[in-house]
Amino acid sequence: MEVLQTIREICERHNITWFADYGTLLGAVRHKGFIPWDDDLDVFLPRKDYERLYEIWDQVADTSHYVLVRTDEKVNYHHAAMNLVDVRTTYVNRHSVNEDIYHGIYIDVIPFEG
């Protein structure tokens, strides 16, 4: 929840539109919280705001606690979108065991097109 609160605060402070979707939205409505068996949070941003968040993150966030990462030519997060990772935690996906990446609890940050 702390990771979600962090991205919410930064988005609101910088007028970046965001919304919960998929299991995160379903859990909020149906369970008044999290779906007990869901293992992640899903946050969507319009593409313009998604790119802006990535551009400003290192200047506006506490990067000693949270990093915003995405696959590029140097690292492979096995995800088409970004992840907001709590670097104080450890969570290693089986498919990423040998990757030199941040292995922590994360939320998915996904661009919304259209």
Side-chain angles (χ1 to χ4, degrees):
M1 189 63 175
E2 185 179 314
V3 181
L4 183 61
Q5 289 171 334
T6 297
I7 196 167
R8 185 202 68 190
E9 290 169 6
I10 288 174
C11 286
E12 289 176 359
R13 190 168 52 235
H14 295 279
N15 296 316
I16 293 174
T17 300
W18 72 280
F19 56 93
D21 208 344
Y22 294 163
T24 304
L25 179 59
L26 181 62
V29 173
R30 186 172 68 190
H31 296 272
K32 308 295 186 246
F34 299 106
I35 296 174
W37 53 89
D38 195 4
D39 64 352
D40 71 348
L41 296 174
D42 303 300
V43 171
F44 281 73
L45 291 81
R47 172 61 78 173
K48 184 179 111 187
D49 289 330
Y50 175 87
E51 296 298 341
R52 184 162 164 252
L53 181 65
Y54 188 71
E55 289 173 13
I56 69 170
W57 186 263
D58 288 345
Q59 289 79 43
V60 301
D62 179 358
T63 55
S64 68
H65 289 168
Y66 302 103
V67 294
L68 190 61
V69 298
R70 65 184 184 187
T71 295
D72 61 19
E73 62 278 350
K74 298 175 190 167
V75 295
N76 185 1
Y77 279 89
H78 300 274
H79 196 285
M82 295 190 290
N83 296 122
L84 178 54
V85 183
D86 183 339
V87 298
R88 300 166 297 172
T89 64
T90 302
Y91 173 74
V92 181
N93 278 314
R94 288 187 302 269
H95 62 270
S96 299
V97 169
N98 296 317
E99 301 286 344
D100 185 19
I101 61 174
Y102 291 101
H103 294 283
I105 301 296
Y106 64 90
I107 65 171
D108 293 330
V109 181
I110 304 165
F112 180 75
E113 305 288 356

PDB file of all heavy atoms in Angstrom, residues 6-38:
ATOM      1  N   THR A   6       2.773   6.291  -2.534  1.00  0.00           N
ATOM      2  CA  THR A   6       3.887   7.090  -3.039  1.00  0.00           C
ATOM      3  C   THR A   6       3.621   7.570  -4.458  1.00  0.00           C
ATOM      4  O   THR A   6       3.782   8.757  -4.762  1.00  0.00           O
ATOM      5  CB  THR A   6       5.198   6.272  -2.984  1.00  0.00           C
ATOM      6  OG1 THR A   6       5.486   5.970  -1.619  1.00  0.00           O
ATOM      7  CG2 THR A   6       6.352   7.038  -3.601  1.00  0.00           C
ATOM      8  N   ILE A   7       3.214   6.669  -5.330  1.00  0.00           N
ATOM      9  CA  ILE A   7       2.955   7.094  -6.711  1.00  0.00           C
ATOM     10  C   ILE A   7       1.757   8.028  -6.772  1.00  0.00           C
ATOM     11  O   ILE A   7       1.743   8.998  -7.537  1.00  0.00           O
ATOM     12  CB  ILE A   7       2.816   5.895  -7.668  1.00  0.00           C
ATOM     13  CG1 ILE A   7       2.959   6.371  -9.117  1.00  0.00           C
ATOM     14  CG2 ILE A   7       1.523   5.149  -7.457  1.00  0.00           C
ATOM     15  CD1 ILE A   7       3.138   5.264 -10.117  1.00  0.00           C
ATOM     16  N   ARG A   8       0.752   7.793  -5.953  1.00  0.00           N
ATOM     17  CA  ARG A   8      -0.415   8.680  -5.913  1.00  0.00           C
ATOM     18  C   ARG A   8      -0.013  10.098  -5.530  1.00  0.00           C
ATOM     19  O   ARG A   8      -0.395  11.071  -6.181  1.00  0.00           O
ATOM     20  CB  ARG A   8      -1.457   8.154  -4.932  1.00  0.00           C
ATOM     21  CG  ARG A   8      -2.742   8.989  -4.959  1.00  0.00           C
ATOM     22  CD  ARG A   8      -3.525   8.839  -3.711  1.00  0.00           C
ATOM     23  NE  ARG A   8      -2.737   9.471  -2.642  1.00  0.00           N
ATOM     24  CZ  ARG A   8      -3.013   9.386  -1.358  1.00  0.00           C
ATOM     25  NH1 ARG A   8      -4.024   8.685  -0.948  1.00  0.00           N
ATOM     26  NH2 ARG A   8      -2.264   9.981  -0.460  1.00  0.00           N
ATOM     27  N   GLU A   9       0.795  10.229  -4.475  1.00  0.00           N
ATOM     28  CA  GLU A   9       1.214  11.549  -4.011  1.00  0.00           C
ATOM     29  C   GLU A   9       2.024  12.288  -5.069  1.00  0.00           C
ATOM     30  O   GLU A   9       1.818  13.480  -5.301  1.00  0.00           O
ATOM     31  CB  GLU A   9       2.011  11.412  -2.724  1.00  0.00           C
ATOM     32  CG  GLU A   9       1.172  11.002  -1.535  1.00  0.00           C
ATOM     33  CD  GLU A   9       2.004  10.599  -0.320  1.00  0.00           C
ATOM     34  OE1 GLU A   9       3.253  10.740  -0.360  1.00  0.00           O
ATOM     35  OE2 GLU A   9       1.400  10.129   0.662  1.00  0.00           O
ATOM     36  N   ILE A  10       2.938  11.584  -5.717  1.00  0.00           N
ATOM     37  CA  ILE A  10       3.769  12.226  -6.741  1.00  0.00           C
ATOM     38  C   ILE A  10       2.920  12.624  -7.942  1.00  0.00           C
ATOM     39  O   ILE A  10       3.061  13.733  -8.477  1.00  0.00           O
ATOM     40  CB  ILE A  10       4.949  11.321  -7.125  1.00  0.00           C
ATOM     41  CG1 ILE A  10       5.944  11.312  -5.966  1.00  0.00           C
ATOM     42  CG2 ILE A  10       5.605  11.779  -8.428  1.00  0.00           C
ATOM     43  CD1 ILE A  10       7.097  10.368  -6.113  1.00  0.00           C
ATOM     44  N   CYS A  11       2.032  11.758  -8.374  1.00  0.00           N
ATOM     45  CA  CYS A  11       1.165  12.090  -9.507  1.00  0.00           C
ATOM     46  C   CYS A  11       0.282  13.291  -9.187  1.00  0.00           C
ATOM     47  O   CYS A  11       0.144  14.207 -10.014  1.00  0.00           O
ATOM     48  CB  CYS A  11       0.325  10.889  -9.908  1.00  0.00           C
ATOM     49  SG  CYS A  11       1.254   9.606 -10.769  1.00  0.00           S
ATOM     50  N   GLU A  12      -0.293  13.321  -8.016  1.00  0.00           N
ATOM     51  CA  GLU A  12      -1.158  14.436  -7.653  1.00  0.00           C
ATOM     52  C   GLU A  12      -0.366  15.736  -7.547  1.00  0.00           C
ATOM     53  O   GLU A  12      -0.821  16.786  -7.995  1.00  0.00           O
ATOM     54  CB  GLU A  12      -1.909  14.130  -6.367  1.00  0.00           C
ATOM     55  CG  GLU A  12      -2.978  13.071  -6.566  1.00  0.00           C
ATOM     56  CD  GLU A  12      -3.694  12.655  -5.290  1.00  0.00           C
ATOM     57  OE1 GLU A  12      -3.362  13.176  -4.200  1.00  0.00           O
ATOM     58  OE2 GLU A  12      -4.583  11.794  -5.392  1.00  0.00           O
ATOM     59  N   ARG A  13       0.813  15.682  -6.969  1.00  0.00           N
ATOM     60  CA  ARG A  13       1.654  16.874  -6.804  1.00  0.00           C
ATOM     61  C   ARG A  13       2.084  17.446  -8.151  1.00  0.00           C
ATOM     62  O   ARG A  13       2.276  18.657  -8.288  1.00  0.00           O
ATOM     63  CB  ARG A  13       2.868  16.535  -5.930  1.00  0.00           C
ATOM     64  CG  ARG A  13       3.671  17.735  -5.506  1.00  0.00           C
ATOM     65  CD  ARG A  13       4.684  17.432  -4.423  1.00  0.00           C
ATOM     66  NE  ARG A  13       5.551  16.317  -4.740  1.00  0.00           N
ATOM     67  CZ  ARG A  13       5.716  15.242  -3.955  1.00  0.00           C
ATOM     68  NH1 ARG A  13       5.081  15.147  -2.811  1.00  0.00           N
ATOM     69  NH2 ARG A  13       6.523  14.273  -4.314  1.00  0.00           N
ATOM     70  N   HIS A  14       2.215  16.606  -9.174  1.00  0.00           N
ATOM     71  CA  HIS A  14       2.715  17.037 -10.475  1.00  0.00           C
ATOM     72  C   HIS A  14       1.643  16.990 -11.568  1.00  0.00           C
ATOM     73  O   HIS A  14       1.967  17.005 -12.758  1.00  0.00           O
ATOM     74  CB  HIS A  14       3.934  16.199 -10.864  1.00  0.00           C
ATOM     75  CG  HIS A  14       5.077  16.432  -9.926  1.00  0.00           C
ATOM     76  ND1 HIS A  14       5.928  17.512 -10.034  1.00  0.00           N
ATOM     77  CD2 HIS A  14       5.479  15.751  -8.833  1.00  0.00           C
ATOM     78  CE1 HIS A  14       6.815  17.478  -9.055  1.00  0.00           C
ATOM     79  NE2 HIS A  14       6.551  16.414  -8.307  1.00  0.00           N
ATOM     80  N   ASN A  15       0.374  16.964 -11.153  1.00  0.00           N
ATOM     81  CA  ASN A  15      -0.760  16.984 -12.084  1.00  0.00           C
ATOM     82  C   ASN A  15      -0.663  15.895 -13.151  1.00  0.00           C
ATOM     83  O   ASN A  15      -0.870  16.143 -14.337  1.00  0.00           O
ATOM     84  CB  ASN A  15      -0.904  18.364 -12.736  1.00  0.00           C
ATOM     85  CG  ASN A  15      -1.234  19.430 -11.718  1.00  0.00           C
ATOM     86  OD1 ASN A  15      -2.065  19.229 -10.844  1.00  0.00           O
ATOM     87  ND2 ASN A  15      -0.552  20.558 -11.805  1.00  0.00           N
ATOM     88  N   ILE A  16      -0.324  14.700 -12.713  1.00  0.00           N
ATOM     89  CA  ILE A  16      -0.240  13.537 -13.593  1.00  0.00           C
ATOM     90  C   ILE A  16      -1.471  12.673 -13.347  1.00  0.00           C
ATOM     91  O   ILE A  16      -1.754  12.283 -12.215  1.00  0.00           O
ATOM     92  CB  ILE A  16       1.060  12.745 -13.330  1.00  0.00           C
ATOM     93  CG1 ILE A  16       2.266  13.590 -13.749  1.00  0.00           C
ATOM     94  CG2 ILE A  16       1.039  11.402 -14.038  1.00  0.00           C
ATOM     95  CD1 ILE A  16       3.606  12.977 -13.401  1.00  0.00           C
ATOM     96  N   THR A  17      -2.203  12.399 -14.410  1.00  0.00           N
ATOM     97  CA  THR A  17      -3.410  11.585 -14.314  1.00  0.00           C
ATOM     98  C   THR A  17      -3.037  10.120 -14.163  1.00  0.00           C
ATOM     99  O   THR A  17      -2.177   9.614 -14.880  1.00  0.00           O
ATOM    100  CB  THR A  17      -4.270  11.767 -15.586  1.00  0.00           C
ATOM    101  OG1 THR A  17      -4.618  13.154 -15.698  1.00  0.00           O
ATOM    102  CG2 THR A  17      -5.526  10.915 -15.534  1.00  0.00           C
ATOM    103  N   TRP A  18      -3.679   9.456 -13.224  1.00  0.00           N
ATOM    104  CA  TRP A  18      -3.445   8.026 -13.011  1.00  0.00           C
ATOM    105  C   TRP A  18      -4.749   7.404 -12.533  1.00  0.00           C
ATOM    106  O   TRP A  18      -5.654   8.096 -12.054  1.00  0.00           O
ATOM    107  CB  TRP A  18      -2.340   7.794 -11.980  1.00  0.00           C
ATOM    108  CG  TRP A  18      -2.778   8.126 -10.584  1.00  0.00           C
ATOM    109  CD1 TRP A  18      -2.849   9.360 -10.023  1.00  0.00           C
ATOM    110  CD2 TRP A  18      -3.255   7.209  -9.605  1.00  0.00           C
ATOM    111  NE1 TRP A  18      -3.331   9.272  -8.737  1.00  0.00           N
ATOM    112  CE2 TRP A  18      -3.593   7.958  -8.461  1.00  0.00           C
ATOM    113  CE3 TRP A  18      -3.443   5.828  -9.586  1.00  0.00           C
ATOM    114  CZ2 TRP A  18      -4.091   7.364  -7.312  1.00  0.00           C
ATOM    115  CZ3 TRP A  18      -3.938   5.242  -8.429  1.00  0.00           C
ATOM    116  CH2 TRP A  18      -4.247   6.008  -7.314  1.00  0.00           C
ATOM    117  N   PHE A  19      -4.841   6.088 -12.671  1.00  0.00           N
ATOM    118  CA  PHE A  19      -5.993   5.380 -12.135  1.00  0.00           C
ATOM    119  C   PHE A  19      -5.634   3.914 -11.917  1.00  0.00           C
ATOM    120  O   PHE A  19      -4.751   3.372 -12.572  1.00  0.00           O
ATOM    121  CB  PHE A  19      -7.231   5.522 -13.030  1.00  0.00           C
ATOM    122  CG  PHE A  19      -7.036   5.083 -14.452  1.00  0.00           C
ATOM    123  CD1 PHE A  19      -7.342   3.793 -14.857  1.00  0.00           C
ATOM    124  CD2 PHE A  19      -6.548   5.976 -15.396  1.00  0.00           C
ATOM    125  CE1 PHE A  19      -7.172   3.392 -16.169  1.00  0.00           C
ATOM    126  CE2 PHE A  19      -6.380   5.589 -16.714  1.00  0.00           C
ATOM    127  CZ  PHE A  19      -6.685   4.296 -17.106  1.00  0.00           C
ATOM    128  N   ALA A  20      -6.321   3.306 -10.969  1.00  0.00           N
ATOM    129  CA  ALA A  20      -6.169   1.876 -10.718  1.00  0.00           C
ATOM    130  C   ALA A  20      -7.053   1.128 -11.712  1.00  0.00           C
ATOM    131  O   ALA A  20      -8.090   1.626 -12.133  1.00  0.00           O
ATOM    132  CB  ALA A  20      -6.585   1.539  -9.292  1.00  0.00           C
ATOM    133  N   ASP A  21      -6.617  -0.080 -12.081  1.00  0.00           N
ATOM    134  CA  ASP A  21      -7.406  -0.894 -12.995  1.00  0.00           C
ATOM    135  C   ASP A  21      -7.124  -2.358 -12.720  1.00  0.00           C
ATOM    136  O   ASP A  21      -6.396  -2.698 -11.794  1.00  0.00           O
ATOM    137  CB  ASP A  21      -7.092  -0.533 -14.447  1.00  0.00           C
ATOM    138  CG  ASP A  21      -8.276  -0.791 -15.387  1.00  0.00           C
ATOM    139  OD1 ASP A  21      -9.215  -1.505 -15.010  1.00  0.00           O
ATOM    140  OD2 ASP A  21      -8.245  -0.264 -16.509  1.00  0.00           O
ATOM    141  N   TYR A  22      -7.699  -3.214 -13.538  1.00  0.00           N
ATOM    142  CA  TYR A  22      -7.569  -4.658 -13.428  1.00  0.00           C
ATOM    143  C   TYR A  22      -7.932  -5.110 -12.010  1.00  0.00           C
ATOM    144  O   TYR A  22      -8.914  -4.669 -11.446  1.00  0.00           O
ATOM    145  CB  TYR A  22      -6.188  -5.134 -13.834  1.00  0.00           C
ATOM    146  CG  TYR A  22      -5.817  -4.949 -15.284  1.00  0.00           C
ATOM    147  CD1 TYR A  22      -4.497  -5.014 -15.691  1.00  0.00           C
ATOM    148  CD2 TYR A  22      -6.770  -4.713 -16.265  1.00  0.00           C
ATOM    149  CE1 TYR A  22      -4.141  -4.846 -17.031  1.00  0.00           C
ATOM    150  CE2 TYR A  22      -6.421  -4.556 -17.602  1.00  0.00           C
ATOM    151  CZ  TYR A  22      -5.104  -4.628 -17.976  1.00  0.00           C
ATOM    152  OH  TYR A  22      -4.758  -4.473 -19.293  1.00  0.00           O
ATOM    153  N   GLY A  23      -7.152  -5.996 -11.438  1.00  0.00           N
ATOM    154  CA  GLY A  23      -7.452  -6.541 -10.122  1.00  0.00           C
ATOM    155  C   GLY A  23      -7.422  -5.503  -9.017  1.00  0.00           C
ATOM    156  O   GLY A  23      -8.120  -5.628  -8.014  1.00  0.00           O
ATOM    157  N   THR A  24      -6.633  -4.446  -9.199  1.00  0.00           N
ATOM    158  CA  THR A  24      -6.559  -3.388  -8.191  1.00  0.00           C
ATOM    159  C   THR A  24      -7.892  -2.660  -8.087  1.00  0.00           C
ATOM    160  O   THR A  24      -8.405  -2.442  -6.981  1.00  0.00           O
ATOM    161  CB  THR A  24      -5.432  -2.404  -8.551  1.00  0.00           C
ATOM    162  OG1 THR A  24      -4.211  -3.143  -8.691  1.00  0.00           O
ATOM    163  CG2 THR A  24      -5.265  -1.337  -7.486  1.00  0.00           C
ATOM    164  N   LEU A  25      -8.473  -2.315  -9.216  1.00  0.00           N
ATOM    165  CA  LEU A  25      -9.768  -1.646  -9.211  1.00  0.00           C
ATOM    166  C   LEU A  25     -10.872  -2.592  -8.746  1.00  0.00           C
ATOM    167  O   LEU A  25     -11.708  -2.226  -7.922  1.00  0.00           O
ATOM    168  CB  LEU A  25     -10.093  -1.108 -10.603  1.00  0.00           C
ATOM    169  CG  LEU A  25     -11.428  -0.394 -10.756  1.00  0.00           C
ATOM    170  CD1 LEU A  25     -11.524   0.807  -9.817  1.00  0.00           C
ATOM    171  CD2 LEU A  25     -11.622   0.042 -12.200  1.00  0.00           C
ATOM    172  N   LEU A  26     -10.839  -3.812  -9.246  1.00  0.00           N
ATOM    173  CA  LEU A  26     -11.835  -4.802  -8.836  1.00  0.00           C
ATOM    174  C   LEU A  26     -11.783  -5.031  -7.325  1.00  0.00           C
ATOM    175  O   LEU A  26     -12.822  -5.075  -6.656  1.00  0.00           O
ATOM    176  CB  LEU A  26     -11.615  -6.118  -9.579  1.00  0.00           C
ATOM    177  CG  LEU A  26     -12.594  -7.249  -9.262  1.00  0.00           C
ATOM    178  CD1 LEU A  26     -14.011  -6.845  -9.635  1.00  0.00           C
ATOM    179  CD2 LEU A  26     -12.173  -8.509  -9.993  1.00  0.00           C
ATOM    180  N   GLY A  27     -10.590  -5.151  -6.779  1.00  0.00           N
ATOM    181  CA  GLY A  27     -10.446  -5.352  -5.340  1.00  0.00           C
ATOM    182  C   GLY A  27     -10.968  -4.171  -4.542  1.00  0.00           C
ATOM    183  O   GLY A  27     -11.628  -4.341  -3.514  1.00  0.00           O
ATOM    184  N   ALA A  28     -10.673  -2.958  -5.020  1.00  0.00           N
ATOM    185  CA  ALA A  28     -11.139  -1.765  -4.317  1.00  0.00           C
ATOM    186  C   ALA A  28     -12.656  -1.720  -4.265  1.00  0.00           C
ATOM    187  O   ALA A  28     -13.246  -1.388  -3.237  1.00  0.00           O
ATOM    188  CB  ALA A  28     -10.586  -0.511  -4.995  1.00  0.00           C
ATOM    189  N   VAL A  29     -13.301  -2.104  -5.364  1.00  0.00           N
ATOM    190  CA  VAL A  29     -14.759  -2.050  -5.426  1.00  0.00           C
ATOM    191  C   VAL A  29     -15.396  -3.254  -4.740  1.00  0.00           C
ATOM    192  O   VAL A  29     -16.243  -3.116  -3.869  1.00  0.00           O
ATOM    193  CB  VAL A  29     -15.228  -1.941  -6.899  1.00  0.00           C
ATOM    194  CG1 VAL A  29     -16.736  -2.064  -6.996  1.00  0.00           C
ATOM    195  CG2 VAL A  29     -14.744  -0.638  -7.518  1.00  0.00           C
ATOM    196  N   ARG A  30     -14.966  -4.446  -5.140  1.00  0.00           N
ATOM    197  CA  ARG A  30     -15.635  -5.661  -4.666  1.00  0.00           C
ATOM    198  C   ARG A  30     -15.228  -6.047  -3.246  1.00  0.00           C
ATOM    199  O   ARG A  30     -16.055  -6.485  -2.460  1.00  0.00           O
ATOM    200  CB  ARG A  30     -15.338  -6.816  -5.624  1.00  0.00           C
ATOM    201  CG  ARG A  30     -16.100  -8.076  -5.281  1.00  0.00           C
ATOM    202  CD  ARG A  30     -15.949  -9.141  -6.336  1.00  0.00           C
ATOM    203  NE  ARG A  30     -14.580  -9.642  -6.360  1.00  0.00           N
ATOM    204  CZ  ARG A  30     -14.095 -10.451  -7.302  1.00  0.00           C
ATOM    205  NH1 ARG A  30     -14.854 -10.827  -8.315  1.00  0.00           N
ATOM    206  NH2 ARG A  30     -12.866 -10.874  -7.249  1.00  0.00           N
ATOM    207  N   HIS A  31     -13.948  -5.887  -2.906  1.00  0.00           N
ATOM    208  CA  HIS A  31     -13.447  -6.332  -1.597  1.00  0.00           C
ATOM    209  C   HIS A  31     -13.196  -5.179  -0.622  1.00  0.00           C
ATOM    210  O   HIS A  31     -12.750  -5.409   0.493  1.00  0.00           O
ATOM    211  CB  HIS A  31     -12.147  -7.128  -1.769  1.00  0.00           C
ATOM    212  CG  HIS A  31     -12.310  -8.394  -2.535  1.00  0.00           C
ATOM    213  ND1 HIS A  31     -12.647  -9.581  -1.940  1.00  0.00           N
ATOM    214  CD2 HIS A  31     -12.202  -8.652  -3.859  1.00  0.00           C
ATOM    215  CE1 HIS A  31     -12.728 -10.533  -2.857  1.00  0.00           C
ATOM    216  NE2 HIS A  31     -12.466  -9.983  -4.036  1.00  0.00           N
ATOM    217  N   LYS A  32     -13.416  -3.967  -1.098  1.00  0.00           N
ATOM    218  CA  LYS A  32     -13.117  -2.777  -0.278  1.00  0.00           C
ATOM    219  C   LYS A  32     -11.650  -2.778   0.145  1.00  0.00           C
ATOM    220  O   LYS A  32     -11.296  -2.344   1.230  1.00  0.00           O
ATOM    221  CB  LYS A  32     -14.019  -2.691   0.950  1.00  0.00           C
ATOM    222  CG  LYS A  32     -15.494  -2.787   0.659  1.00  0.00           C
ATOM    223  CD  LYS A  32     -15.983  -1.623  -0.158  1.00  0.00           C
ATOM    224  CE  LYS A  32     -17.483  -1.668  -0.325  1.00  0.00           C
ATOM    225  NZ  LYS A  32     -17.922  -1.882  -1.672  1.00  0.00           N
ATOM    226  N   GLY A  33     -10.789  -3.282  -0.723  1.00  0.00           N
ATOM    227  CA  GLY A  33      -9.348  -3.365  -0.454  1.00  0.00           C
ATOM    228  C   GLY A  33      -8.685  -4.180  -1.543  1.00  0.00           C
ATOM    229  O   GLY A  33      -8.889  -3.933  -2.726  1.00  0.00           O
ATOM    230  N   PHE A  34      -7.929  -5.177  -1.140  1.00  0.00           N
ATOM    231  CA  PHE A  34      -7.204  -6.020  -2.083  1.00  0.00           C
ATOM    232  C   PHE A  34      -7.918  -7.351  -2.283  1.00  0.00           C
ATOM    233  O   PHE A  34      -8.546  -7.867  -1.364  1.00  0.00           O
ATOM    234  CB  PHE A  34      -5.786  -6.302  -1.569  1.00  0.00           C
ATOM    235  CG  PHE A  34      -4.957  -5.069  -1.392  1.00  0.00           C
ATOM    236  CD1 PHE A  34      -4.688  -4.573  -0.125  1.00  0.00           C
ATOM    237  CD2 PHE A  34      -4.452  -4.400  -2.490  1.00  0.00           C
ATOM    238  CE1 PHE A  34      -3.916  -3.430   0.043  1.00  0.00           C
ATOM    239  CE2 PHE A  34      -3.692  -3.255  -2.335  1.00  0.00           C
ATOM    240  CZ  PHE A  34      -3.432  -2.766  -1.068  1.00  0.00           C
ATOM    241  N   ILE A  35      -7.798  -7.896  -3.471  1.00  0.00           N
ATOM    242  CA  ILE A  35      -8.261  -9.263  -3.698  1.00  0.00           C
ATOM    243  C   ILE A  35      -7.257 -10.176  -2.990  1.00  0.00           C
ATOM    244  O   ILE A  35      -6.052 -10.073  -3.249  1.00  0.00           O
ATOM    245  CB  ILE A  35      -8.321  -9.586  -5.204  1.00  0.00           C
ATOM    246  CG1 ILE A  35      -9.356  -8.695  -5.893  1.00  0.00           C
ATOM    247  CG2 ILE A  35      -8.645 -11.060  -5.424  1.00  0.00           C
ATOM    248  CD1 ILE A  35      -9.380  -8.835  -7.403  1.00  0.00           C
ATOM    249  N   PRO A  36      -7.696 -11.039  -2.102  1.00  0.00           N
ATOM    250  CA  PRO A  36      -6.759 -11.837  -1.298  1.00  0.00           C
ATOM    251  C   PRO A  36      -5.746 -12.637  -2.113  1.00  0.00           C
ATOM    252  O   PRO A  36      -4.609 -12.821  -1.677  1.00  0.00           O
ATOM    253  CB  PRO A  36      -7.674 -12.763  -0.499  1.00  0.00           C
ATOM    254  CG  PRO A  36      -8.985 -12.056  -0.437  1.00  0.00           C
ATOM    255  CD  PRO A  36      -9.094 -11.288  -1.730  1.00  0.00           C
ATOM    256  N   TRP A  37      -6.096 -13.105  -3.277  1.00  0.00           N
ATOM    257  CA  TRP A  37      -5.191 -13.943  -4.059  1.00  0.00           C
ATOM    258  C   TRP A  37      -4.451 -13.165  -5.157  1.00  0.00           C
ATOM    259  O   TRP A  37      -3.657 -13.727  -5.886  1.00  0.00           O
ATOM    260  CB  TRP A  37      -5.952 -15.108  -4.690  1.00  0.00           C
ATOM    261  CG  TRP A  37      -7.151 -14.667  -5.478  1.00  0.00           C
ATOM    262  CD1 TRP A  37      -7.173 -14.326  -6.802  1.00  0.00           C
ATOM    263  CD2 TRP A  37      -8.470 -14.492  -4.993  1.00  0.00           C
ATOM    264  NE1 TRP A  37      -8.435 -13.938  -7.177  1.00  0.00           N
ATOM    265  CE2 TRP A  37      -9.262 -14.036  -6.072  1.00  0.00           C
ATOM    266  CE3 TRP A  37      -9.082 -14.670  -3.743  1.00  0.00           C
ATOM    267  CZ2 TRP A  37     -10.617 -13.752  -5.948  1.00  0.00           C
ATOM    268  CZ3 TRP A  37     -10.439 -14.392  -3.640  1.00  0.00           C
ATOM    269  CH2 TRP A  37     -11.187 -13.949  -4.722  1.00  0.00           C
ATOM    270  N   ASP A  38      -4.711 -11.862  -5.271  1.00  0.00           N
ATOM    271  CA  ASP A  38      -4.018 -11.055  -6.278  1.00  0.00           C
ATOM    272  C   ASP A  38      -2.639 -10.695  -5.733  1.00  0.00           C
ATOM    273  O   ASP A  38      -2.481 -10.371  -4.558  1.00  0.00           O
ATOM    274  CB  ASP A  38      -4.820  -9.789  -6.572  1.00  0.00           C
ATOM    275  CG  ASP A  38      -4.377  -9.093  -7.845  1.00  0.00           C
ATOM    276  OD1 ASP A  38      -3.502  -9.623  -8.556  1.00  0.00           O
ATOM    277  OD2 ASP A  38      -4.920  -8.008  -8.140  1.00  0.00           O
TER     278      ASP A  38
END
